[in-house]
Amino acid sequence: MSYETITSEMHGAVLLVRIDRPKVLNALNTTVMRELVDRFAAADRDPAVRAIVLTGSGKAFAAGADISEMAGMGFPDIYGADTFGGWDRFAATRKPVIAAVGGYALGGGCEVVMMCDIVLAADTAKFGQPEIKLGILPGMGGTQRLTRLVGRAKAMDLVLTGRLMDAAEAERAGLVSRIVPADRLLDEALATAATIAGYSQPATLMAKEAVQRAEEVSLSEGVRFERRLFGSLFATRDQKEGMAAFVEKRKPSFEDR
Ligand code: HXC
């Protein structure tokens, strides 16, 4: 399928996806959503893809949902037709996703960042949930994910005032995994993804699922879930290979089995 608003290319076993509407700061219209959902679902099915990097273009990761598109919508479009429901499918991507954030990640852009697993931010990046200034509130999980990630105090501050955070504050708050110089952003993101791509895929997928589960369940339930996943990996050849390689002081050769 050819896409209008995104581009994608393989770098070894890493899929690099770029949101490509720089003239409107990569505003996330429904076409972007549909195309990202389609591309990420295809990547999940494709054994050649072992990790994904999502980035923007120009001076933004994404400056939010497309305000021009939303402006004329009514309650039946937003709620009845579940126009933005595709983002839940995007968030359900099973393979590891790294957000490489250069410039603005605002509103829906910040919410997409929070659906990714690792967030690398350029030192120039800016994050925020400015929806309140438009007479709305975050609608792609922002109030929920932000509160879990940065805590109530900071989430209330950001959601109620609409102010922006720079990369340093976002890292201190727990929204960003690492800050890198702007000119190294993509290289660092691709290198991080390549590292993950080199590991056994069952272990990688389960590790992601286990960390995600921590956001949903009690500690004892989460620990039990982790223990079951941990045990199940001892039924894989890759566990035998990984441990044998360590003992024999050589590099492991994983087969995803
Ligand atoms: C549509 C947008 C846009 C957006 C920017 N543009 N953000 N178009 N939707 N979210 C367009 C501008 O209209 C402008 O088009 C061009 O991109 C460049 O933007 P400027 O404003 O001229 O750039 P600058 O002065 O550098 O300011 C950058 C900015 C500002 C601070 C990021 O653009 C801004 O405040 N944008 C809106 C941010 C926002 O409110 N996001 C939340 C959206 S609501 P022209 O044609 O004039 O060149 C949301 C809800 C999610 O995300 C929930 C959905 C379910």
Side-chain angles (χ1 to χ4, degrees):
M1 173 166 169
S2 73
Y3 299 112
E4 266 174 58
T5 63
I6 65 170
T7 64
S8 66
E9 62 197 39
M10 291 298 290
H11 290 251
V14 176
L15 178 72
L16 172 64
V17 179
R18 194 185 283 280
I19 308 168
D20 193 23
R21 302 183 77 208
K23 283 196 184 129
V24 287
L25 306 187
N26 302 318
L28 304 166
N29 63 10
T30 46
T31 307
V32 178
M33 179 187 72
R34 232 185 2 260
E35 293 185 350
L36 284 177
V37 169
D38 185 79
R39 189 65 193 90
F40 275 58
D44 257 355
R45 291 190 300 269
D46 182 353
V49 177
R50 303 177 65 85
I52 305 169
V53 172
L54 177 64
T55 195
S57 51
K59 63 180 188 176
F61 177 82
D66 191 318
I67 299 169
S68 325
E69 186 186 54
M70 273 186 303
M73 288 186 188
F75 180 80
D77 309 303
I78 299 283
Y79 185 77
D82 197 23
T83 299
F84 297 102
W87 291 113
D88 297 336
R89 294 194 287 285
F90 174 86
T93 303
R94 295 179 73 219
K95 290 186 179 165
V97 182
I98 297 174
V101 184
Y104 293 110
L106 307 183
C110 189
E111 293 173 295
V112 169
V113 165
M114 292 189 282
M115 294 173 200
C116 299
D117 305 314
I118 296 178
V119 181
L120 296 196
D123 43 14
T124 50
K126 292 237 186 305
F127 299 84
Q129 299 291 161
E131 288 91 339
I132 198 76
K133 297 180 179 177
L134 301 168
I136 57 169
L137 80 162
M140 285 155 52
T143 60
Q144 306 305 299
R145 290 197 177 91
L146 190 65
T147 307
R148 282 166 169 77
L149 285 172
V150 307
R152 179 185 198 277
K154 190 77 85 184
M156 283 288 191
D157 181 12
L158 293 164
V159 170
L160 293 181
T161 70
R163 77 173 178 85
L164 308 191
M165 284 194 291
D166 63 17
E169 184 181 358
E171 188 192 29
R172 280 197 306 277
L175 182 62
V176 161
S177 314
R178 265 185 269 152
I179 301 179
V180 298
D183 60 357
R184 298 271 316 137
L185 177 65
L186 216 49
D187 287 347
E188 293 286 343
L190 289 169
T192 302
T195 299
I196 295 168
Y199 299 135
S200 170
Q201 198 166 72
T204 305
L205 297 182
M206 285 192 195
K208 168 171 171 165
E209 200 185 345
V211 174
Q212 283 180 326
R213 188 56 75 100
E215 293 168 335
E216 309 269 357
V217 301
S218 69
L219 179 61
S220 58
E221 209 29 72
V223 168
R224 269 198 294 275
F225 180 74
E226 178 194 85
R227 194 69 42 84
R228 285 192 291 270
L229 292 183
F230 185 76
S232 69
L233 285 176
F234 282 73
T236 64
R237 290 216 290 262
D238 282 350
Q239 172 267 328
K240 304 284 173 291
E241 167 62 10
M243 292 192 178
F246 178 83
V247 171
E248 292 159 18
K249 300 189 188 307
R250 59 174 173 81
K251 246 178 93 86
S253 170
F254 292 122
E255 296 173 3
D256 296 340
R257 284 172 191 281

